[in-house]
Amino acid sequence: MQTQYDVIVVGAGHAGCEAAAAAANMGSKVLLITMNMQTIAQMSCNPAMGGIAKGQIVREIDALGGYSGIVSDKSMIQFRMLNRSKGPAMWSPRTQNDRMLFAQEWRQMLEETPNVDFWQDMVSGLIVENHTVTGVRTGMGLEFKGRSVVLTNGTFLNGIIHIGEKHFGGGRTGEKAATGITEQLVELGFQSGRMKTGTPPRIDGRSLDYSKMEVQEGDVIPGRFSYLDTPLPKEQRNCWITYTNEDVHSILKEGFEKSPMFTGRIQGLGPRYCPSIEDKINRFADRDRHQLFVEPEGWNTVEIYLNGFSTSLPEDVQYRALRLIPGFEKAKMFRPGYAIEYDYFPPQQLNLSLETKIIQNLYFAGQINGTTGYEEAACQGLMAGINAHLKINEKEEFVLRRSEAYIGVLIDDLVTKGTDEPYRMFTSRAEFRTLLRQDNADIRLTPVSHRLGLASDERLKLVERKVLGTNELISFLKDLSVHPDTINPLLNELGTDAVRQKVKLNGILLRPQVNIQDLVENVVELKEYTQNIDSDIRGHIVEQAEILMKYEGYIEKEFDIVTKFERLEDVYLKDDFDYLNLSSLSMEARQKLSKIKPRTLGQASRISGVSPSDISVLMVYLGR
Amino acid sequence: MDKFGLFFNMQKAHKNDPIIALATAPGTGAIAVLRISGKDSIRIVDSLFKSLKKKTLSLSNVASHTMHFGMLQSDGLLLDEVLVSVFKGPHSYTGEDTVEISCHGSPFIQQQIISAFLKKGVRMAEAGEFTLRAFLNGKMDLSQAEAVADLIASDSEFSHQLALKQMRGGFSGEIEKLRQELIHFASLLELELDFAEEDVEFASRTELIHTIEKLESEIQSLIDSFEAGNVIKTGIPVVIAGKPNVGKSTLLNVLLNEERAIVSDIAGTTRDTIEEEIFVSGIKFRFIDTAGIRETSDAIERIGVQKTLEKIKESPVILYMFDINDTTVSSLQSDLEDLRSHVSSEFKLIPVANKIDKHDFIKIHAEFSGIPGILFISAKEKKNVNELRQLLVDKFKSGLLKGTDTAVANARHADALHKTSEALNRVRTGIQSKVTMDFITGDVRIALHYLGEITGKITTDDLLENIFSKFCIGK
């Protein structure tokens, strides 16, 4: 049996799968160890990928050559582009997925990836020599040697599941928790903490009355996450919206005294933006109803996921409350919601490469770093996998900047500021979201990833064609004049001023009422031009050209700010910089800086407790 | 990891070595003050100092904020009899141990003392270095440090107060308040973007626009105060206009002689305008003696007249002077009418009747008193000149700084406010023309960025360079 690997990945969730695929595709021999081969890439919580800010991350993962986008596309049962009315920087793709199919597609893609081996076992410890990890020990007593190790333990480290007053060890419902790793890491000098998350009950869809709910359909023309030509579904499944009411609330309140949230049995902090239903009722007592999303779990199952009803109240309370929700009068429950507590390691203990500061060649990704969400986990796994491979090949680490990708924002936030509650991405966390759009993740990231040896030639070629085609279309629009007789009927129809003389099309496109599709349909020359664009990337090119032209002013302004911002990002700080003796820094700043060891002045400026005047002090010291 | 070769040397950077500089203006005066700050500065001064009262006194043992009389000696030579003030860090201007030496004011003595300290390993301070250290040691924030630069450069009571106020942080506080409001506004918008799927109510557009308008007007009043603050710093221009030989120069001389506070004589841009800076009740006025205004065919003279008209436009106050003895009410009225066409506000124009000593005052008064705001003086006899002065001071106090208790005194701040205002304007027009929220919030962020630049929430390299190069030695 082979026991020597380049990269060992512990855990096969979203983070672990991406880590294994990335390292393997770059050429490392990878061993993926999971406690259960049947639950590879489980969607432990809701059967959906993407959404606001998260959809952008999936696009970025895909642009870098990760698998999450392709898997989501292949397993989608519904596609919606969220925030359509809010402008292109906010457009956020989201899919509803078939839970079983999702896991199956992931496993198949991994199995088809050369260099990935699998092993079912529990990793109980790390082999560490000289502050460097060299392998892992398993519950079966085996030792595997790895030149680098990626830990993606999710909620399994000392996981405890809570349902009402009952609580038992487990990493997910019906699965055992993992023990040993936390204890060893703490012994090695790591700090650990507890976090909490939860999940709602699963319902028998046959018992629901959908006529009492609002239907939520997918987009008429579904989009996709991947920049590759993944197949689109021929039909889509509906979701529904319903609401709680005061009757539901009063039943739930009966269970409060038995709720582990309120009895203090759960110590970990849960996410404020994904609260349990008891939390919502408790904190927003003035709201008489809360929105619930009724989401099917797949093509061939009647199982329903009740999004918005995450709870750890006793199962009988859950059941009684459910039945008071419109449409749920006869609801049958498959399994109750629960809360889970697990260990995490405050992520300030990591470098921006996701390598730990204490132990070399050891990488952390996913919930172990205090994040929540499949997308957040997957992108960390991808970055950890890339860096685990680069490190053992003595190559420079791969770090994305805040101005380059949401992934850059996420990792910088974690490593620099840490997090007390499960960290989720929001677009408002990104300073430059006008640049970090879902439509241009490939332009931003595929060339970089191709240079690393991850993104395929096929991907690069596609991006090059897209960029070239976009530029040509923009020039064409800037050169093409139209006669008032041609354009005025359209302008009248759209309720915008007519033109008196021939005008260039780009000027017309700047009007808020006009979109490029209107012009394509009304201007023959443009129609002919676009029809000559290769059909596989026509849509991308037309969309890209429209965004770049319509919002040119805003986009350029943002680039100016990036340039200003990057000047701090370009000032590198030595790891052995002696902050403790800089008496002109505040005491808090001295301690935080020497603990976090920021890579750049820009990163230093984002550490909480480091004030602008501390940064000015550093700048003056650095002779800037 | 040194892939960019961008790491810096810490040795060079960490400075607290003792530095010295003259803290008072260079040149001869009754006394001069030298300041020494940094590591060991008290011990070093002590090594040259001998108390006259108590022979055994050591400066290293005295309490902070105490003054001691004694002699400075170097190589056995007496340098001067001095008073030394001891300030122990962090309770000093720089935050370090600091000693101030008051010596006799001759440049020779100052030089001797400085040389003695240079021999002891103290080095000459660079421009602004004391304030730089104060900043580095957390004694003041960025805008306070800038205010110090302004304070040093200020020469009138009002600009002094303006700078003092800013140094105490009043202005930063005002901006921080606006910033907080804008942050609140921004969070309302962000809510819509990141939580569009949630069942939350969003702010009404009318309310958003209302908030922005309020912020815009507050920022505008700060921008206006900059114009006013600038006027205070450079002096309030007062144009003295009038035909030749009506006594303009005489009046100017009278004002000058009495105040004896000439700062400089600036030759005007043409041979016909002369500017004089005069302090009246602590306010700096810049009197501009102009060429006459008259129709002329002479090309050079025409340029002079043109210049005069420009000055008249810029000035908040115009004194129109005329000789009461050869002016009729109707000719005066027509001259004033003529001037008014060049002046934006009635308020600015003050008719000044000169040479009342040569005439029967009661008769003139009866004739001319119908002219609004008219003032009767005799420059030669210094009659009613005080009234003129009081009038100028009143005009300044009532008009210029009305309603703005916080004034922006610094060009960098004014520029940042302008950019904030532009961004807010784009936010408002954006909301009105239904630009999508992702871009509107971009402009909100720009506005926040510039407000942050004022309070020092964001600093850039040249920002600091710029600030510190403006300091003169000593403070």
Side-chain angles (χ1 to χ4, degrees):
Chain A
M1 198 171 87
Q2 187 177 344
T3 55
Q4 295 275 345
Y5 287 89
D6 295 324
V7 177
I8 295 175
V9 177
V10 181
H14 302 268
C17 288
E18 287 288 5
N25 280 325
M26 289 173 82
S28 278
K29 289 268 173 217
V30 176
L31 179 66
L32 181 58
I33 306 181
T34 169
M35 290 166 74
N36 185 351
M37 288 285 290
Q38 309 313 312
T39 55
I40 286 180
Q42 253 313 310
M43 299 179 117
S44 329
C45 205
N46 62 330
M49 285 291 279
I52 299 167
K54 292 163 168 270
Q56 282 87 329
I57 291 180
V58 180
R59 295 283 266 171
E60 289 177 356
I61 292 171
D62 186 72
L64 288 166
Y67 289 176
S68 290
I70 299 169
V71 169
S72 303
D73 287 351
K74 286 184 173 169
S75 59
M76 76 165 90
I77 61 173
Q78 187 196 68
F79 180 94
R80 286 199 301 139
M81 185 65 89
L82 306 183
N83 262 344
R84 266 280 184 207
S85 64
K86 303 266 164 54
M90 292 309 301
W91 296 352
S92 308
R94 182 187 189 276
T95 57
Q96 204 65 49
N97 295 80
D98 182 309
R99 186 190 301 279
M100 313 265 275
L101 195 54
F102 184 91
Q104 191 185 317
E105 292 289 352
W106 246 119
R107 178 160 171 178
Q108 193 180 331
M109 283 195 78
L110 286 174
E111 286 171 359
E112 286 166 4
T113 303
N115 291 339
V116 179
D117 285 355
F118 300 86
W119 182 253
Q120 178 171 307
D121 205 341
M122 184 187 82
V123 170
S124 54
L126 301 171
I127 306 169
V128 177
E129 298 161 26
N130 247 336
H131 300 288
T132 307
V133 69
T134 57
V136 299
R137 263 181 219 103
T138 74
M140 283 188 226
L142 299 177
E143 285 194 0
F144 291 95
K145 287 281 181 188
R147 294 164 67 202
S148 57
V149 173
V150 183
L151 289 187
T152 69
N153 307 68
T155 57
F156 280 73
L157 292 180
N158 294 318
I160 296 179
I161 290 173
H162 297 265
I163 304 172
E165 290 175 308
K166 294 171 207 153
H167 57 102
F168 43 89
R172 210 159 25 209
T173 179
E175 294 178 57
K176 271 182 19 191
T179 51
I181 294 182
T182 305
E183 293 73 12
Q184 188 191 4
L185 287 173
V186 168
E187 214 162 278
L188 285 167
F190 284 91
Q191 266 188 346
S192 76
R194 291 289 267 177
M195 272 191 178
K196 174 243 149 189
T197 189
T199 190
R202 310 300 150 89
I203 316 292
D204 185 340
R206 294 171 299 185
S207 64
L208 300 183
D209 180 358
Y210 295 104
S211 68
K212 292 183 177 162
M213 310 179 200
E214 296 164 27
V215 69
Q216 195 174 39
E217 292 174 354
D219 287 357
V220 178
I221 303 164
R224 49 166 83 83
F225 283 117
S226 183
Y227 291 95
L228 300 177
D229 204 12
T230 48
L232 292 175
K234 298 201 169 52
E235 51 168 330
Q236 298 184 60
R237 282 295 204 88
N238 290 338
C239 296
W240 291 269
I241 295 173
T242 185
Y243 297 90
T244 62
N245 51 46
E246 284 173 338
D247 296 337
V248 176
H249 296 179
S250 54
I251 295 288
L252 290 171
K253 277 181 199 158
E254 287 175 20
F256 277 16
E257 58 184 28
K258 289 181 179 171
S259 159
M261 293 297 299
F262 300 121
T263 54
R265 198 173 306 119
I266 292 183
Q267 285 130 29
L269 217 52
R272 272 172 306 172
Y273 26 78
C274 183
S276 62
I277 188 73
E278 50 266 39
D279 243 3
K280 289 188 212 175
I281 295 168
N282 192 36
R283 293 212 330 251
F284 305 102
D286 53 325
R287 291 281 296 269
D288 54 10
R289 65 173 205 177
H290 293 280
Q291 196 174 30
L292 300 174
F293 296 90
V294 180
E295 303 177 348
E297 295 243 347
W299 295 116
N300 305 313
T301 174
V302 295
E303 194 168 338
I304 291 290
Y305 180 90
L306 187 55
N307 199 346
F309 204 80
S310 162
T311 178
S312 57
L313 291 170
E315 65 283 353
D316 62 306
V317 177
Q318 295 186 27
Y319 180 74
R320 281 189 291 132
L322 273 177
R323 289 207 153 201
L324 296 170
I325 298 169
F328 281 65
E329 294 80 0
K330 294 177 181 159
K332 291 180 182 168
M333 201 157 67
F334 281 165
R335 53 191 168 99
Y338 62 87
I340 181 160
E341 261 193 304
Y342 54 95
D343 292 335
Y344 83 108
F345 293 86
Q348 295 102 313
Q349 303 174 92
L350 303 174
N351 295 318
L352 286 167
S353 62
L354 297 179
E355 185 183 17
T356 67
K357 284 175 179 160
I358 305 180
I359 305 293
Q360 296 235 359
N361 296 20
L362 177 63
Y363 294 79
F364 287 174
Q367 280 165 305
I368 190 172
N369 290 335
T371 61
T372 172
Y374 307 149
E375 304 80 0
E376 286 85 349
C379 74
Q380 290 173 65
L382 177 70
M383 296 299 283
I386 292 172
N387 279 312
H389 170 87
L390 291 172
K391 178 79 192 268
I392 56 177
N393 289 281
E394 286 165 13
K395 294 204 176 120
E396 193 186 296
E397 62 191 17
F398 179 53
V399 173
L400 287 167
R401 292 185 174 210
R402 299 181 74 88
S403 55
E404 282 178 313
Y406 275 97
I407 299 174
V409 174
L410 181 135
I411 295 176
D412 183 72
D413 276 351
L414 288 178
V415 170
T416 311
K417 301 181 195 159
T419 182
D420 294 332
E421 62 184 328
Y423 177 102
R424 182 192 136 176
M425 183 49 72
F426 296 106
T427 68
S428 46
R429 295 198 197 266
E431 294 85 350
F432 309 112
R433 69 178 158 212
T434 309
L435 306 180
L436 307 185
R437 303 184 311 272
Q438 59 88 28
D439 59 85
N440 68 0
D442 54 342
I443 300 175
R444 287 184 274 128
L445 301 174
T446 300
V448 198
S449 177
H450 186 263
R451 275 200 294 280
L452 286 176
L454 180 56
S456 61
D457 294 344
E458 181 197 6
R459 283 185 183 273
L460 184 68
K461 197 134 275 148
L462 265 174
V463 176
E464 286 170 349
R465 284 170 59 215
K466 176 171 161 181
V467 171
L468 191 70
T470 304
N471 290 339
E472 283 172 356
L473 177 54
I474 289 175
S475 312
F476 179 79
L477 286 162
K478 284 187 172 165
D479 287 343
L480 183 63
S481 297
V482 283
H483 198 271
D485 294 347
T486 317
I487 200 76
N488 279 343
L490 173 70
L491 296 180
N492 283 335
E493 189 190 320
L494 296 172
T496 169
D497 295 342
V499 295
R500 297 233 178 99
Q501 53 205 15
K502 284 185 88 170
V503 285
K504 294 276 192 327
L505 270 188
N506 65 325
I508 300 285
L509 190 56
L510 283 175
R511 299 185 179 191
Q513 301 88 344
V514 182
N515 66 46
I516 200 163
Q517 218 45 51
D518 299 324
L519 297 179
V520 170
E521 277 153 31
N522 287 273
V523 181
V524 184
E525 298 94 319
L526 181 59
K527 190 170 199 165
E528 279 172 9
Y529 182 92
T530 52
Q531 275 168 354
N532 284 329
I533 301 174
D534 295 336
S535 65
D536 61 333
I537 53 168
R538 185 188 300 146
H540 294 296
I541 286 176
V542 171
E543 178 190 66
Q544 196 61 210
E546 176 172 33
I547 291 169
L548 291 181
M549 295 181 77
K550 236 178 157 51
Y551 305 105
E552 191 183 6
Y554 284 99
I555 290 169
E556 298 219 318
K557 221 164 40 207
E558 191 111 323
F559 271 121
D560 289 347
I561 301 175
V562 170
T563 314
K564 242 180 159 175
F565 174 89
E566 296 276 274
R567 286 160 63 196
L568 280 186
E569 303 300 312
D570 283 337
V571 183
Y572 285 81
L573 297 164
K574 269 187 176 168
D575 271 357
D576 58 2
F577 199 113
D578 184 8
Y579 298 102
L580 287 174
N581 280 323
L582 284 192
S583 53
S584 38
L585 294 173
S586 72
M587 190 48 83
E588 188 183 2
R590 275 185 260 171
Q591 287 166 351
K592 293 258 177 80
L593 287 165
S594 36
K595 189 174 149 205
I596 292 167
K597 298 190 176 68
R599 199 166 98 125
T600 66
L601 204 50
Q603 194 193 347
S605 73
R606 291 185 289 274
I607 297 173
S608 73
V610 175
S611 72
S613 91
D614 292 323
I615 292 304
S616 306
V617 166
L618 285 175
M619 277 165 75
V620 173
Y621 275 121
L622 294 171
R624 294 243 127 191
Chain B
M1 222 186 67
D2 196 356
K3 55 188 170 177
F4 294 98
L6 276 168
F7 298 121
F8 299 97
N9 185 350
M10 274 291 303
Q11 264 75 45
K12 190 200 100 193
H14 191 98
K15 289 181 192 161
N16 65 354
D17 55 325
I19 50 172
I20 185 168
L22 186 61
T24 43
T28 309
I31 60 160
V33 177
L34 293 161
R35 179 190 278 157
I36 301 170
S37 177
K39 197 167 180 286
D40 286 339
S41 54
I42 296 176
R43 194 187 52 75
I44 293 169
V45 174
D46 193 47
S47 71
L48 299 184
F49 178 79
K50 194 160 236 140
S51 168
L52 283 174
K53 227 171 141 189
K54 212 172 129 196
K55 298 273 186 266
T56 54
L57 179 112
S58 162
L59 292 178
S60 307
N61 300 330
V62 303
S64 185
H65 295 73
T66 55
M67 233 184 191
H68 307 274
F69 179 57
M71 292 184 305
L72 278 185
Q73 294 173 314
S74 177
D75 301 333
L77 283 176
L78 172 68
L79 296 174
D80 196 10
E81 283 191 347
V82 295
L83 270 175
V84 295
S85 313
V86 176
F87 305 93
K88 292 188 175 167
H91 304 293
S92 69
Y93 176 72
T94 56
E96 306 168 330
D97 284 351
T98 302
V99 181
E100 288 180 4
I101 302 172
S102 307
C103 63
H104 291 97
S106 108
F108 175 73
I109 289 176
Q110 295 160 19
Q111 212 40 60
Q112 290 284 99
I113 296 176
I114 289 174
S115 308
F117 280 106
L118 295 185
K119 278 188 213 154
K120 284 274 173 188
V122 179
R123 80 176 158 77
M124 284 303 290
E126 288 165 24
E129 199 169 358
F130 288 102
T131 305
L132 171 65
R133 288 184 178 196
F135 169 69
L136 284 177
N137 291 327
K139 303 291 285 187
M140 55 180 71
D141 74 17
L142 212 52
S143 75
Q144 288 171 321
E146 284 177 311
V148 174
D150 283 342
L151 192 62
I152 294 161
S154 76
D155 53 8
S156 79
E157 192 184 322
F158 274 83
S159 62
H160 186 85
Q161 278 175 8
L162 204 64
L164 265 182
K165 189 159 191 176
Q166 190 175 332
M167 199 169 77
R168 289 186 192 126
F171 172 64
S172 311
E174 191 84 1
I175 295 293
E176 192 48 36
K177 213 179 83 208
L178 289 177
R179 230 173 76 89
Q180 291 305 329
E181 277 183 52
L182 197 55
I183 286 172
H184 174 71
F185 177 82
S187 58
L188 287 178
L189 301 185
E190 296 295 343
L191 179 75
E192 291 191 22
L193 295 178
D194 269 330
F195 299 91
E197 291 293 293
E198 317 272 326
D199 186 27
V200 284
E201 276 181 40
F202 299 125
S204 87
R205 292 296 172 266
T206 336
E207 273 172 41
L208 291 183
I209 287 176
H210 181 76
T211 313
I212 282 293
E213 279 171 347
K214 194 179 123 243
L215 285 172
E216 275 187 287
S217 97
E218 280 172 29
I219 282 169
Q220 190 55 49
S221 74
L222 284 174
I223 291 173
D224 292 343
S225 82
F226 172 71
E227 319 275 328
N230 215 21
V231 163
I232 294 171
K233 284 206 304 197
T234 55
I236 300 146
V238 179
V239 166
I240 309 179
K243 298 186 171 119
N245 295 323
V246 294
K248 299 189 298 265
S249 308
T250 316
L251 174 65
L252 206 52
N253 281 330
V254 168
L255 290 168
L256 285 178
N257 288 338
E258 296 212 346
E259 297 288 340
R260 296 188 190 286
I262 310 172
V263 174
S264 63
D265 299 13
I266 309 157
T269 33
T270 77
R271 58 196 168 122
D272 296 317
T273 24
I274 308 277
E275 295 195 10
E276 303 277 10
E277 288 179 1
I278 299 172
F279 291 94
V280 181
S281 304
I283 302 163
K284 193 203 266 184
F285 287 96
R286 222 169 64 236
F287 284 92
I288 304 152
D289 186 0
T290 64
I293 309 164
R294 57 185 164 183
E295 296 296 318
T296 174
S297 53
D298 180 83
I300 293 175
E301 212 171 312
R302 225 175 18 236
I303 295 171
V305 172
Q306 196 55 43
K307 286 274 171 203
T308 304
L309 289 177
E310 276 170 28
K311 293 278 181 195
I312 285 175
K313 269 209 182 82
E314 289 165 11
S315 294
V317 187
I318 297 122
L319 303 178
Y320 179 71
M321 213 168 176
F322 60 96
D323 183 346
I324 195 89
N325 303 299
D326 55 13
T327 309
T328 64
V329 173
S330 61
S331 74
L332 174 64
Q333 270 168 340
S334 100
D335 286 347
L336 288 176
E337 201 54 50
D338 211 31
L339 262 181
R340 276 190 198 106
S341 64
H342 300 292
V343 173
S344 55
S345 132
E346 180 69 20
F347 180 75
K348 294 165 73 167
L349 191 57
I350 305 171
V352 180
N354 194 18
K355 304 190 185 176
I356 54 168
D357 53 302
K358 288 192 177 174
H359 216 285
D360 177 0
F361 184 66
I362 296 177
K363 193 174 155 228
I364 315 166
H365 196 268
E367 244 180 87
F368 283 88
S369 58
I371 310 275
I374 193 165
L375 206 65
F376 301 94
I377 66 162
S378 165
K380 205 170 134 199
E381 302 287 316
K382 302 180 186 170
K383 223 173 182 173
N384 288 353
V385 173
N386 272 336
E387 285 176 25
L388 174 62
R389 250 186 227 121
Q390 195 51 49
L391 186 77
L392 289 175
V393 171
D394 289 349
K395 272 218 180 300
F396 162 77
K397 285 187 173 162
S398 67
L400 220 43
L401 273 183
K402 200 154 110 196
T404 56
D405 15 39
T406 306
V408 181
N410 182 292
R412 183 175 69 79
H413 295 166
D415 183 53
L417 285 173
H418 269 293
K419 287 187 171 133
T420 308
S421 161
E422 281 165 23
L424 289 181
N425 183 279
R426 286 196 300 270
V427 172
R428 183 168 42 78
T429 52
I431 293 176
Q432 278 157 348
S433 59
K434 301 201 162 43
V435 172
T436 51
M437 277 300 161
D438 47 350
F439 295 112
I440 287 175
T441 50
D443 277 321
V444 174
R445 287 175 182 205
I446 289 173
L448 280 173
H449 171 90
Y450 283 115
L451 288 183
E453 270 196 0
I454 297 173
T455 48
K457 297 268 173 194
I458 305 150
T459 51
T460 64
D461 323 353
D462 14 336
L463 204 80
L464 281 166
E465 259 168 48
N466 201 6
I467 293 164
F468 290 118
S469 67
K470 271 166 65 186
F471 291 111
C472 60
I473 294 182
K475 208 172 197 186

